Amino acid sequence: MKPRDRLRIAVQKSGRLADTSQELLAKCGLKFRQSRDKLFCFGESLAIDLLLVRDDDIPGLIAQGVCDLGIVGRNVLRERQLAAQEDGDAPASRELRALGFGRCRLAIAVPQDMRYASPSDLAGLRIATSYPASLAAWLRVQGVEAGIVELSGSVEIAPRLGTADVICDLVSSGATLVANQLREVASLFDSEAVIAAAIDTPPDERGELLEMLLRRLDGVLQVRESKLVLLQAPRDALDSIARLLPTGPRPTVTPIEGSSDEVALQAVCYGAITWQHLEDMKRRGASNLLVLPVEKMLA
Ligand code: PRP
Ligand code: ZN
């Protein structure tokens, strides 16, 4: 493989993760110029390029060293790692960060009218899936012997076609299952988009670029969950009100012009503020509550 000095990230070309993956990289300050074939995006702001590919190809591209990083579902990464393990190979990629989007789960679903009480009811059945290694590992743990029918797509119609009895597939909203008269009975694991990387960090400038990208990403991920809370309250109620807020840096308290005992509180919170939070704070004496999104943060 020719040595590279630019970091290369594989992202899904089209599909569930495609848009959000590119938006996330844009929030990290990455700008790209797309090539004519729309497969390669040259990084204009930093020495970081994108390769737009099928999500299932991403772990392989990382393993071969064609790409240094990838944004891919944990389900795809895990399947590849388990398959390598079955073949007696060392893992070639690892998960660096969970990204909080593309949430779904790998689940067993059975026809609506099939009796199911526990995994042992799957014994002797044929299970259609695109995730044979993940399914085999789960069946082993459950101590259940069943047939695995590997399909690359349209898994959900297998029971109706008679090519399998039940399925093991990704479930997100559950709409696909409902449309195919299937019901979810067990979940193998939860998945979401993750940053995947080769086991070893490149020992050159790419390694430094990778570290920088992760630092920016951590900032973006933290900001996404963060809120600025503004409120007014009697000074002696502040402690009990502040205790209700999710954690964050020490809040700022300022006096209010013309009021001797009311103060204003300004707090950055790392976490969601629900209506329940607001009502609880109001009950303890807070007023004029405002919750604002945070755009950028540098501690
Ligand atoms: C998955 C899965 C189901 C569907 C479930 O496929 O194979 O078909 O999503 O989603 P739902 O519960 O919201 O209906 P996906 O579109 O991600 O494509 P892929 O697995 O072929 O990459
Ligand atoms: Zn796919």
Side-chain angles (χ1 to χ4, degrees), residues 188-206:
L188 280 62
F189 59 81
D190 289 329
S191 181
E192 65 187 279
V194 304
I195 292 266
I199 298 291
D200 298 315
T201 304
D204 44 30
E205 303 94 283
R206 286 179 295 159

Side-chain angles (χ1 to χ4, degrees), residues 188-289:
L188 280 62
F189 59 81
D190 289 329
S191 181
E192 65 187 279
V194 304
I195 292 266
I199 298 291
D200 298 315
T201 304
D204 44 30
E205 303 94 283
R206 286 179 295 159
E208 284 159 39
L209 280 169
L210 192 156
E211 291 301 324
M212 188 198 64
L213 181 63
L214 288 181
R215 269 197 307 278
R216 291 190 184 185
L217 201 62
D218 288 339
V220 170
L221 295 177
Q222 191 172 54
V223 158
R224 199 174 50 188
E225 298 294 314
S226 296
K227 296 283 178 270
L228 177 66
V229 177
L230 304 176
L231 59 84
Q232 298 180 350
R235 188 180 286 277
D236 55 12
L238 268 188
D239 276 352
S240 92
I241 290 169
R243 268 200 297 276
L244 293 173
L245 293 167
T247 56
R250 222 146 50 101
T252 309
V253 178
T254 39
I256 296 173
E257 188 88 334
S259 167
S260 56
D261 90 303
E262 284 263 313
V263 291
L265 175 115
Q266 172 187 317
V268 172
C269 301
Y270 304 146
I273 309 283
T274 61
W275 283 107
Q276 191 61 49
H277 276 118
L278 297 186
E279 279 163 28
D280 290 346
M281 289 191 280
K282 187 150 186 80
R283 208 166 304 125
R284 293 180 188 205
S287 59
N288 297 322
L289 290 131

Side-chain angles (χ1 to χ4, degrees), residues 12 16 55-56 131 152 156 169-177:
Q12 192 184 38
R16 224 174 263 264
D55 61 344
D56 304 28
Y131 296 85
S152 58
E156 60 275 6
D169 199 10
L170 295 180
V171 180
S172 176
S173 66
T176 303
L177 294 187

Side-chain angles (χ1 to χ4, degrees), residues 63-99:
Q64 294 155 24
V66 176
C67 293
D68 305 292
L69 295 177
I71 299 184
V72 66
R74 179 181 296 134
N75 49 296
V76 172
L77 192 64
R78 185 131 149 188
E79 174 66 17
R80 191 57 65 97
Q81 289 166 337
L82 288 169
Q85 205 177 328
E86 269 180 12
D87 296 342
D89 296 336
S93 53
R94 64 196 165 119
E95 179 178 323
L96 289 185
R97 294 288 188 281
L99 300 176

